[in-house]
Amino acid sequence: MLGVFRKARVVFAPEGAEWRKRIALVALIAVAVATVWVTNTWLTERFTETTRNRAQVRLALYSGNVVSELQRASVVPLLLSRDPTLINALNTSDFSQSSQQLISYVDEIGAASLMLLDGSGRVVAATDRNRIGTNLRNAPFFVEAQRSNDTVFITSRTEAGAYSFTYSRSIVINRKKAGVIVVGVDLGKFEQNWAGIADAIIVTDSEGQIILSTEPRWRGRTVEEALAVRSPPSAIQRALQATADWGALPPDAYLMGEAVMRNSARINHHGWRIISFTSYVSIRDKVNSVLALEIMGFAILLAGTFYMMSRRAQLRSIGFQQETRELRELNARLQREIAERERAEKNLEVAEQTLAQSSKLAALGEMSAAVSHELNQPLAAMKTYLAGARLLLQRKRSDEALSSFQRIDDLIERMGAITRQLKSYARKGGDAFEPLDMRSCVSGALSMMEPQLKRRRVTITRSLPREKVCVMADRVRLEQVIINLLRNALDATRESPAPQVDLILSAGETATLTVRDNGHGIEDLENLFEPFYTTKEPGDGVGLGLAISSGIVNDLGGRLTARNGRDGGAVFEVQLPILSQDVEAAE
């Protein structure tokens, strides 16, 4: 035996060396991939942080420029509202020199435009002479200036889609507002300056609407609307896009389908914010240049490795004369395995027989327990009726005693039906099915449970429809299901201060009987319908009632479900296929 293993070791020695080479090659490739991945991640984070810092510096500069322009223009309305020349023109209604004066002021203060409006909102002087005579009494800057005693700032959208920014202030003469001076702020020049850089710049107001943007079509929209992601038009472009973004950090946003970096800063003016979107292209180019060098180096190393392996592969000649010995050893090993499998199959067959015998014993035990459980209720009722009949006979009320004996006879008949129907727990059948009105089954079950209900102070509420609720079922088995559910409800409400059980019968696509109680609820819903599962004390039950009920409902083509109610307690629902009137007439 040692000689056989020694020879086998000689045969498979080259195979082990081959596997070692392959493992070394895989390890080399793994190291290359890991190195490229780590380098890509580190460089991407570094270049991204650098680009983000530069973008934030630019945002601070742009924000300062906007605030400076707004602050410079904000003091102009106050100065012009006190200008004696303009005040005199409003008093005398002589505006022949006012427009020329405003034009001279524009050159000095660098405002976009100046307008002088009289008390009625008519433009009496303006740097744009085409607007002289226009009535702007409904313009926001005129209305707000008339309402306020201070300088007001107004942002309004023009017909062309752009936004205009104005400061306005009322001119007070003898404590009366005689006119309004309007100063236009030229923020559009910043849009033109920003258009010359690679970043996309937007400025939003306090409501989040874009008022300045390097993209004119974004004005008036929210940031989310402007940045709506649009898929690339072709599969080739999608592949190129995925390849370009494979190593980038998670993007802040997508601009026209391209991942971009988002930076924002606060403008100290009416809740404005300035936001920039920087493309990752420059970052990707820098990272790719370094990764290209690394990949090239690893490619050269792998090429040398493959060359060495090809040279060694030429020297791997195995002696074919040892193949016969290897095959004989393999055949012997296979024969041993076949013998072991045969022994295992025999052991398995014995185990299966033992398991089958155990299953038979378990089934016998379940059947015995089921018989005991199902006959318990009729026996208890018979005992009650016998005691009542004895008292009635002692009091010489024989007619009423005969009624009790008739009920005992019905119970005996029912016990016989139960013993016959218990066979369905092992063998399904449907010969005893007939059209039934579920309302009568509910009434019969309540009549069966009458002795138990009298011993307990339980509030029983019934909600039954006026019309028939017909199903195809076996009356004895269906009543047994309802009795089991009622008995469980009584047991569950044993510790309740005001026990209550509700029976609700409804008809829709299916006939549904709901049994609801206000007890302690169900703790384990998963194992509730398993045989011998019970939460009762020993001697109070064996845990077969719900298992038998579930099997009966399944045989009837329905479903038995359970859940906990919202206000506590348990809710059981029996759903059975409803029997239409045509089918009922045919039956």
Side-chain angles (χ1 to χ4, degrees):
M1 182 64 68
L2 291 176
V4 173
F5 284 108
R6 194 177 296 113
K7 292 174 184 178
R9 191 180 299 114
V10 173
V11 172
F12 290 102
E15 187 72 19
E18 179 67 20
W19 277 108
R20 285 194 294 271
K21 294 176 185 178
R22 293 180 181 178
I23 293 174
L25 179 60
V26 172
L28 179 59
I29 296 175
V31 170
V33 172
T35 303
V36 172
W37 184 271
V38 171
T39 303
N40 173 75
T41 303
W42 180 72
L43 290 179
T44 300
E45 292 177 354
R46 180 181 176 185
F47 291 145
T48 300
E49 187 65 24
T50 303
T51 304
R52 189 181 297 276
N53 292 336
R54 292 178 180 175
Q56 291 176 352
V57 171
R58 287 195 298 270
L59 283 184
L61 177 61
Y62 298 156
S63 175
N65 293 338
V66 173
V67 172
S68 176
E69 183 71 18
L70 292 171
Q71 289 179 349
R72 183 175 64 177
S74 64
V75 299
V76 175
L78 177 61
L79 298 177
L80 295 182
S81 66
R82 299 177 181 177
D83 188 278
T85 305
L86 298 179
I87 295 175
N88 184 45
L90 290 173
N91 281 329
T92 61
S93 298
D94 182 11
F95 305 104
S96 57
Q97 300 298 325
S98 299
S99 296
Q100 187 62 36
Q101 187 177 4
L102 291 180
I103 293 174
S104 65
Y105 287 159
V106 167
D107 297 335
E108 293 178 6
I109 64 179
S113 62
L114 293 175
M115 288 190 301
L116 178 63
L117 285 70
D118 60 8
S120 63
R122 186 173 61 88
V123 179
V124 295
T127 55
D128 184 5
R129 296 181 183 274
N130 295 327
R131 307 195 67 175
I132 296 177
T134 306
N135 196 319
L136 301 177
R137 64 175 178 271
N138 294 326
F141 50 78
F142 178 78
V143 175
E144 295 298 328
Q146 290 288 346
R147 294 177 179 175
S148 176
N149 294 326
D150 298 327
T151 302
V152 296
F153 179 78
I154 298 296
T155 302
S156 58
R157 194 168 188 181
T158 63
E159 295 179 357
Y163 280 85
S164 63
F165 310 93
T166 57
Y167 283 102
S168 59
R169 187 183 182 92
S170 60
I171 299 176
V172 180
I173 301 175
N174 296 328
R175 297 184 180 180
K176 294 183 178 180
K177 296 181 178 180
V180 173
I181 185 71
V182 181
V183 179
V185 185
D186 185 14
L187 296 182
K189 60 183 179 181
F190 295 116
E191 288 182 327
Q192 299 175 0
N193 296 336
W194 297 339
I197 62 175
D199 295 355
I201 307 295
I202 61 175
V203 176
T204 61
D205 59 10
S206 59
E207 297 179 355
Q209 288 188 341
I210 300 175
I211 55 178
L212 293 175
S213 173
T214 54
E215 292 286 339
R217 56 183 173 177
W218 289 357
R219 299 190 191 112
R221 300 182 179 182
T222 62
V223 178
E224 290 74 15
E225 294 173 348
L227 297 180
V229 178
R230 297 192 304 177
S231 300
S234 66
I236 296 177
Q237 292 186 2
R238 288 196 297 268
L240 293 176
Q241 185 68 31
T243 304
D245 295 342
W246 73 273
L249 293 175
D252 298 333
Y254 282 91
L255 181 60
M256 305 297 292
E258 180 182 357
V260 293
M261 178 192 305
R262 175 173 177 170
N263 294 281
S264 63
R266 179 177 174 272
I267 298 178
N268 191 17
H269 178 78
H270 292 272
W272 287 10
R273 295 192 68 82
I274 183 170
I275 304 173
S276 69
F277 299 97
T278 306
S279 175
Y280 281 95
V281 174
S282 60
I283 300 173
R284 192 70 262 157
D285 292 341
K286 295 178 183 178
V287 175
N288 288 341
S289 61
V290 178
L291 295 181
L293 295 176
E294 285 190 352
I295 293 174
M296 185 181 299
F298 281 113
I300 294 174
L301 181 60
L302 286 175
T305 303
F306 280 119
Y307 175 75
M308 296 298 298
M309 291 179 64
S310 63
R311 289 294 302 269
R312 292 183 180 181
Q314 297 176 359
L315 304 177
R316 291 179 306 171
S317 59
I318 303 174
F320 292 99
Q321 65 276 10
Q322 297 182 358
E323 290 184 359
T324 305
R325 298 178 183 176
E326 183 180 348
L327 291 175
R328 289 178 180 176
E329 183 181 353
L330 181 60
N331 290 334
R333 189 186 307 168
L334 290 176
Q335 291 178 359
R336 290 194 298 270
E337 291 182 358
I338 291 173
E340 292 177 358
R341 287 179 180 272
E342 291 178 351
R343 288 194 297 271
E345 289 177 357
K346 292 181 180 179
N347 294 334
L348 180 60
E349 184 178 355
V350 173
E352 289 178 350
Q353 294 176 355
T354 304
L355 181 60
Q357 185 65 23
S358 300
S359 300
K360 292 179 181 179
L361 294 176
L364 182 59
E366 291 183 8
M367 184 63 69
S368 301
V371 171
S372 173
H373 180 274
E374 297 298 330
L375 295 181
N376 186 34
Q377 294 181 11
L379 289 175
M382 289 173 59
K383 183 176 181 180
T384 303
Y385 288 140
L386 284 174
R390 184 182 296 108
L391 292 176
L392 291 173
L393 289 176
Q394 290 175 358
R395 297 176 183 178
K396 297 183 179 180
R397 295 162 63 182
S398 58
D399 294 339
E400 296 180 6
L402 288 176
S403 176
S404 298
F405 289 135
Q406 180 61 38
R407 291 186 179 181
I408 293 172
D409 185 59
D410 294 340
L411 290 175
I412 294 173
E413 201 172 303
R414 183 179 186 84
M415 291 170 61
I418 288 175
T419 56
R420 290 191 301 271
Q421 292 296 335
L422 280 176
K423 297 178 181 179
S424 65
Y425 194 70
R427 183 181 68 252
K428 296 182 179 180
D431 297 338
F433 287 2
E434 58 181 347
L436 297 176
D437 186 1
M438 285 193 69
R439 300 180 304 172
S440 63
C441 294
V442 173
S443 300
L446 288 174
S447 175
M448 186 72 178
M449 292 291 294
E450 184 179 355
Q452 289 90 332
L453 295 176
K454 288 183 177 180
R455 291 196 300 268
R456 294 275 307 279
R457 294 183 179 179
V458 182
T459 302
I460 303 293
T461 61
R462 287 188 294 178
S463 177
L464 304 179
R466 295 182 178 179
E467 299 179 355
K468 289 183 178 182
V469 182
C470 293
V471 296
M472 183 67 70
D474 182 0
R475 177 179 295 275
V476 175
R477 302 174 72 186
L478 183 56
E479 289 182 357
Q480 190 63 41
V481 171
I482 301 173
I483 290 172
N484 287 340
L485 297 180
L486 284 173
R487 186 175 181 183
N488 284 340
L490 293 177
D491 293 339
T493 57
R494 184 172 298 173
E495 299 179 359
S496 299
Q500 180 176 348
V501 179
D502 302 328
L503 287 88
I504 304 171
L505 180 60
S506 60
E509 295 181 357
T510 61
T512 304
L513 175 63
T514 303
V515 180
R516 181 174 56 201
D517 61 67
N518 61 346
H520 51 74
I522 304 171
E523 297 179 357
D524 189 358
L525 289 171
E526 294 183 0
N527 299 321
L528 184 63
F529 296 105
E530 294 294 330
F532 300 104
Y533 173 78
T534 180
T535 58
K536 302 176 183 178
E537 297 294 333
D540 292 343
V542 295
L544 284 173
L546 291 178
I548 294 175
S549 300
S550 178
I552 292 175
V553 175
N554 290 337
D555 291 344
L556 299 179
R559 183 176 62 173
L560 175 60
T561 60
R563 67 178 189 275
N564 287 314
R566 296 181 179 178
D567 301 330
V571 179
F572 289 87
E573 287 188 355
V574 178
Q575 296 180 356
L576 294 175
I578 198 166
L579 190 63
S580 62
Q581 295 181 357
D582 297 339
V583 177
E584 183 181 358
E587 291 292 339

